Amino acid sequence: MVSIYIDMDDVLCESNQTFLNILERDFGKKADYEEITAFDLKTSLDLSDDEYSRFFESIHDPDEMIRHKPAAGAKHLLDLWHDKGYRINVLTGRPAVAQPVSLEWLKKHDFKFHGFSIVDKYNRKSSRGDSSLTLEALSRQNFDLAVEDSGAMARFLSEEMGLQVALVDRPWNRSFSFNANVHRCRDWLDIKEKFENLS
Ligand SMILES: [Mg+2]
């Protein structure tokens, strides 16, 4: 059976867009999306340690997380994959405590999926919980395609696990170079053109 790995933030939802709104509203800082050239927001947004810890807390407030906008075209392709009988697995590096709001968000936007896991992708204490996966445990799973925006994760998936990766083009993954398993896609329409049919 075809099995697909799908990341959540900045793949299924436009998380960094919400984060920029929070940054302006709560911190009085205006930043442009194209300025997010590093995956680490503390670096990209030039925040002090104190600002970053408050910001990290704000952006993981369930009342904010539920408001993320779905990425255009994502639901359409997931529905097509679902109808073909492909197994859809959502694997996110969010903090373990964000599991309930993540599931609520997927339900709110009617995303169909078979599996949901928190994975400690970025070596963060917050992503380690009783039911979360380590990268080592993840690497024992098999997928026919992975959809990611993180350059570091795209490298892990393509190099360590040998997977085909649809990399959603974002300013923070443009400086990476990848092997031939990684396919840069401008949006979900592009992913559909390249990967609608898998076998
Ligand atoms: Mg992501």
Side-chain angles (χ1 to χ4, degrees), residues 7-13 15 39 91-93 121-122 147-150 153 172:
D7 175 45
M8 210 165 166
D9 288 308
D10 297 295
V11 168
L12 285 181
C13 46
S15 316
F39 189 78
L91 295 110
T92 173
K121 297 181 182 180
Y122 311 112
V147 189
E148 255 293 351
D149 68 294
S150 151
M153 271 312 289
W172 50 91

Side-chain angles (χ1 to χ4, degrees), residues 20 23-31 45-48 51:
L20 290 181
L23 186 75
E24 188 172 355
R25 187 196 66 202
D26 296 354
F27 296 81
K29 288 194 175 193
K30 228 180 150 112
L45 302 173
D46 196 21
L47 299 172
S48 67
E51 282 174 325

Side-chain angles (χ1 to χ4, degrees), residues 25-180:
R25 187 196 66 202
D26 296 354
F27 296 81
K29 288 194 175 193
K30 228 180 150 112
D32 192 77
Y33 197 80
E34 290 297 315
E35 287 174 45
I36 312 176
T37 53
F39 189 78
D40 173 23
L41 290 172
K42 184 175 181 294
T43 308
S44 267
L45 302 173
D46 196 21
L47 299 172
S48 67
D49 288 344
D50 176 58
E51 282 174 325
Y52 182 69
S53 68
R54 284 189 293 129
F55 182 66
F56 192 85
E57 208 162 290
S58 292
I59 64 178
H60 290 103
D61 177 341
D63 293 340
E64 303 287 354
M65 293 177 86
I66 198 70
R67 294 214 290 259
H68 291 328
K69 293 215 164 42
K75 182 177 158 45
H76 172 65
L77 185 53
L78 259 63
D79 283 347
L80 290 178
W81 281 338
H82 184 270
D83 291 347
K84 288 173 196 282
Y86 297 176
R87 187 181 159 84
I88 294 165
N89 310 279
V90 177
L91 295 110
T92 173
R94 287 178 171 185
V97 293
Q99 178 155 338
V101 68
S102 303
L103 293 171
E104 194 186 332
W105 186 91
L106 290 163
K107 193 173 165 204
K108 178 182 168 187
H109 294 286
D110 198 24
F111 279 105
K112 298 188 183 87
F113 61 99
H114 303 91
F116 176 92
S117 304
I118 303 270
V119 182
D120 181 17
K121 297 181 182 180
Y122 311 112
N123 200 18
R124 286 181 189 150
K125 224 179 175 166
S126 59
S127 296
R128 286 173 217 147
D130 292 343
S131 58
S132 56
L133 297 174
T134 60
L135 284 179
E136 209 271 324
L138 173 71
S139 70
R140 288 193 296 266
Q141 300 193 6
N142 197 32
F143 303 98
D144 298 276
L145 178 71
V147 189
E148 255 293 351
D149 68 294
S150 151
M153 271 312 289
R155 274 217 178 126
F156 181 83
L157 297 162
S158 62
E159 294 175 15
E160 303 299 320
M161 295 176 66
L163 301 180
Q164 295 293 311
V165 180
L167 179 78
V168 181
D169 178 55
R170 301 287 188 180
W172 50 91
N173 61 38
R174 288 186 192 140
S175 63
F176 282 79
S177 54
F178 299 104
N179 69 19

